Amino acid sequence: MTGAKKEETWITAGFAELARSGVEGVRVEVLAKSLGVTKGGFYRRFKDRAALLSAMLADWSAGRIAIIEQHASLDGATARERLKAIIQLYSERTSTEGIAIELAIRQWARTDEAAAEAVASVDAARLKNVAELYRATGLADDEADAKAFLFYCFIFGQSLLFLDRGPRKRTQLVAKSAETLLDEA
């Protein structure tokens, strides 16, 4: 395994622990045990825990930004079709671990400037890309920005709500809500 692959293994283990226990749980001893290796393997890859946390933030933010740019790319689709596809993607396939990581990083950002900067850059990219899709439908800048904000409130909010309506009712409610976000788009 290459050095970059080994580093990625530590980062992946760090995300798994972050999802389970928050940033406080991302500790060298815990990760080494979960990977079945010694702490020495960690220190061959990273200077210290802070370096790992920094690498995790860089990996998360670059990955989230690349994903939204990919999802918002028109590639022959209309802006409305892309918006609808993004809604379907995030409402039909909820990633429990992905949401746990997102929430843990946002919690971490409440007390850590580097995490706050990473979250701010991801939020800015998400809002920018979706607002550009709304602009491509003909909405004015202010309206496109407001719709993009509501879009992300919906994307994240719906994934956190526990609806007791059953899967079919939930699907219908999400679809009707998505229609509202796509009106005039």
Side-chain angles (χ1 to χ4, degrees):
M1 191 181 310
T2 67
K5 284 282 188 193
K6 289 179 182 178
E7 189 172 294
E8 186 62 34
T9 300
W10 285 96
I11 291 170
T12 300
F15 282 129
E17 194 56 42
L18 181 70
R20 262 191 305 279
S21 351
V23 71
E24 300 81 19
V26 181
R27 296 188 324 271
V28 177
E29 304 80 24
V30 172
L31 300 179
K33 184 175 179 179
S34 75
L35 292 171
V37 297
T38 66
K39 292 190 309 185
F42 173 84
Y43 290 107
R44 282 190 290 279
R45 306 287 168 249
F46 299 96
K47 177 182 174 192
D48 53 21
R49 178 179 180 266
L52 171 65
L53 294 176
S54 179
M56 288 172 60
L57 287 174
D59 184 82
W60 177 79
S61 61
R64 299 299 88 216
I65 291 169
I67 290 290
I68 191 54
E69 288 174 351
Q70 176 188 349
H71 291 161
S73 172
L74 292 176
D75 291 330
T78 67
R80 190 177 198 288
E81 290 168 340
R82 292 307 315 144
L83 289 163
K84 186 175 183 178
I86 294 168
I87 290 170
Q88 286 177 320
L89 177 68
Y90 287 99
S91 62
E92 292 176 0
R93 290 189 310 141
T94 301
S95 166
T96 306
E97 184 177 34
I99 290 295
I101 291 169
E102 181 89 23
L103 291 173
I105 289 176
R106 288 178 179 281
Q107 181 64 31
W108 178 12
R110 295 178 69 179
T111 59
D112 182 272
E113 189 173 323
E117 288 175 15
V119 168
S121 71
V122 168
D123 286 348
R126 286 172 169 163
L127 292 170
K128 173 185 164 276
N129 280 275
V130 170
E132 286 175 4
L133 288 175
Y134 277 114
R135 281 184 194 86
T137 70
L139 293 181
D141 287 349
D142 288 348
E143 196 169 346
D145 291 343
K147 282 270 192 170
F149 180 78
L150 290 173
F151 183 94
Y152 271 102
C153 289
F154 169 74
I155 292 294
F156 287 110
Q158 64 82 30
S159 69
L160 297 173
L161 294 175
F162 292 98
L163 301 174
D164 60 354
R165 299 173 166 226
R168 184 175 173 167
K169 290 282 189 179
R170 182 188 187 288
T171 300
Q172 291 170 342
L173 180 59
V174 167
K176 186 64 177 166
S177 300
E179 284 177 32
T180 302
L181 284 169
L182 296 173
D183 286 348
E184 302 173 27

